[in-house]
Amino acid sequence: CGIPIRHTSALTLLLASLFANLVVPGPGLAGAAVVLGGARREGATAARSTAGLMLTLTADLTALALLVLVALLHLATRRRLETWELACSGSLAVLAASCHALIVIGTDRSGRLARLGGWLEQGVRRLSTAMTRRAWPSPGAVTRAAAEFAEAAGAARAQPLATLGMFGLALAMHACALGASAAVFASLLRTVPGGTVLAGYALGLVALILSPTPQGVGVVEGVLVLVYTHLGVPLVTAASIALLGRALAFWLPMVLGLALSRRGMHAHG
């Protein structure tokens, strides 16, 4: 989307967003606010930053959906596929499809998103006037933001190779995380069951996305243990793998995010 942000700043924002999502309840909105705020400080507009974040999220969800499909096929061949796994995977598919739909609407040259933004703006202004006697937002603000979002999304659509590269990068990141999960398994088991590693990783991420707790604390660990034991891993070993894996994948980066958040507050305070 052409957002001018340095790689070091992007890494700092990513780690800081992990801490924000942990301490603020909600479906990752606090982390998104951290990323958007950092992108705006780097010179990007709010709408353009949102478009970039949406495209990144869509690529990541699409890559994850592919991994989940492979994991479900593995569970089905082992006769271990459960209804809750199908339901959670279906929710992920709906979320990924919604992100794709929003981007498609945003790149529609007929201006559908801008018109939708205009209707939304009118409704919000009427509601804010009735409740506070002050009209908010300013006239044309939402329409302009929708137009900027459409422009940024259209620029990405005009560069299919760059968009495909974003999807490939998401797959590569998942592959690295799967490698780390396999290393945790190897430290506690003599053999590394590839299908079990993939099933736990994919369904653990689905639980993270759908969990009502911040960053899936407690829920992800429980899902990992459930999947691992269901596929034949002893209970104590499964719990050890789940806790060690989460410590490396979440708690350690979260501590770094806390340190970077404090440094950022001192720098901008």
Side-chain angles (χ1 to χ4, degrees), residues 3 47 78 95 112 130 145-146 157 171-172 178 184 214 256 260 265:
I3 297 176
R78 293 281 303 273
L95 179 59
R112 189 182 308 173
R157 189 174 184 179
L171 278 177
L178 273 170
V184 173
L256 294 175
L260 291 171
M265 286 188 292

Side-chain angles (χ1 to χ4, degrees), residues 12 17 56 67-68 100 107 114 116 132-133 135 141 148 150 152 155 168-169 209 214 219 226 251 269:
T12 300
S17 68
T56 303
L67 293 178
V68 169
H100 279 282
T107 56
L116 180 62
T132 65
R133 297 184 180 180
E148 289 181 11
L169 180 60
I209 294 171
V219 176
L226 182 61
W251 290 107

Side-chain angles (χ1 to χ4, degrees), residues 121-142:
E121 178 182 297
Q122 293 176 11
V124 172
R125 283 177 62 84
R126 291 195 188 98
L127 181 61
S128 63
T129 301
M131 295 181 64
T132 65
R133 297 184 180 180
R134 294 182 59 184
W136 180 88
S138 58
V142 177

Side-chain angles (χ1 to χ4, degrees), residues 144-190:
R144 288 192 299 271
E148 289 181 11
F149 181 94
E151 179 184 357
R157 189 174 184 179
Q159 304 176 47
L161 289 180
T163 305
L164 186 61
M166 189 181 300
F167 173 71
L169 180 60
L171 278 177
M173 292 178 64
H174 284 302
C176 291
L178 273 170
S181 296
V184 173
F185 263 84
S187 68
L188 296 172
L189 289 176
R190 292 183 178 180

Side-chain angles (χ1 to χ4, degrees), residues 67-90:
L67 293 178
V68 169
L69 177 60
V70 177
L72 293 179
L73 290 175
H74 172 73
L75 290 169
T77 57
R78 293 281 303 273
R79 299 181 184 274
R80 291 292 188 268
L81 187 58
E82 300 286 344
T83 303
W84 68 268
E85 293 166 341
L86 286 173
C88 292
S89 301

